[in-house]
Structure formats: structure tokens, C-alpha cells
Amino acid sequence: MVPEFRPSDAWFADWPFDVSTLVRMAATVSAAGDAVPEFLATLTRDESADGVYYRGGYYVEVSGDEPGEQWRIILGSAGEDGFDSVLSAADDLVEALRAAPDDVRLTWQELPATRAPG
């Protein structure tokens, strides 16, 4: 089963730059078949940045798209609803991975908050 992201209290408390805080998490995915490319196809690709996509209030950075490689997917958002947006992104990713016919492996990692660019 593909695990949902369950954030710690410390992740929610890491808000050092007020609304300019960028909250992030990373997912490592393997054996996903076409599930990750299908998830990415639902997003808008940033033509100016390799491996960066957007949807609504969150962004996605991806690497590792060679056959047989693990995917590293970073989900992030900033602003007043940064946490809600990142949790929504995690739910979208989990939903896509659960639809895969393969035995997908997914691990989550909370990343430290940073100052949002701009």
C-alpha cells in the first residue's frame, strides 16, 4: 500500500518567515510504472525550469525519470495556505500512485522550511 504523508508537529511548527515561508516535503518513489508521468501530465510544466511543474497553489520538482530509476519528487508551497497546498499535493500524488498496477514503493521526508523566493 502507498502510504499517505503524515506530517509531524515539528513540520507544522517550522514557519520561520511568516507568509514568506516555503514549506516542502520530498517523496522517493520506485516501481511506479507510468504513475508518476501520469501525475505530472495533470500539472502545468514550467518551460523555463527543467523538472518543475505547477498546479494551483503548489509546485513540484522532479528528478530521476530514467527507466528503472527512483523518482525524487519535491512538493512545496508558500503563503498563508502553504501547508494545505502541500498536503493537497501529497494527496494528489498518493492517489496517482495507488492507481498504478505495480507494487509502488513510496517514502516521505519532511524538508526544513526556507524563505520563499521573490
Side-chain angles (χ1 to χ4, degrees):
M1 174 153 230
V2 177
E4 294 177 358
F5 176 65
R6 302 233 186 250
S8 68
D9 291 340
W11 186 73
F12 279 116
D14 192 11
W15 192 250
F17 307 107
D18 196 32
V19 294
S20 295
T21 297
L22 176 64
V23 293
R24 303 172 307 142
M25 71 176 80
T28 304
V29 181
S30 57
D34 292 332
V36 173
E38 289 172 7
F39 166 71
L40 295 175
T42 68
L43 306 173
T44 301
R45 185 175 183 157
D46 182 345
E47 299 298 330
S48 67
D50 194 35
V52 177
Y53 299 80
Y54 295 94
R55 173 189 279 163
Y58 66 84
Y59 79 93
V60 179
E61 291 180 45
V62 295
S63 61
D65 58 353
E66 296 299 318
E69 271 191 47
Q70 287 186 338
W71 290 86
R72 174 132 167 110
I73 303 168
I74 297 176
L75 308 172
S77 184
E80 292 180 15
D81 19 340
F83 289 112
D84 290 339
S85 295
V86 171
L87 293 173
S88 176
D91 290 344
D92 292 346
L93 178 59
V94 165
E95 183 179 328
L97 296 176
R98 286 183 177 167
D102 302 317
D103 184 23
V104 177
R105 289 180 297 283
L106 167 66
T107 58
W108 293 106
Q109 177 187 6
E110 295 174 351
L111 298 175
T114 61
R115 183 178 294 279

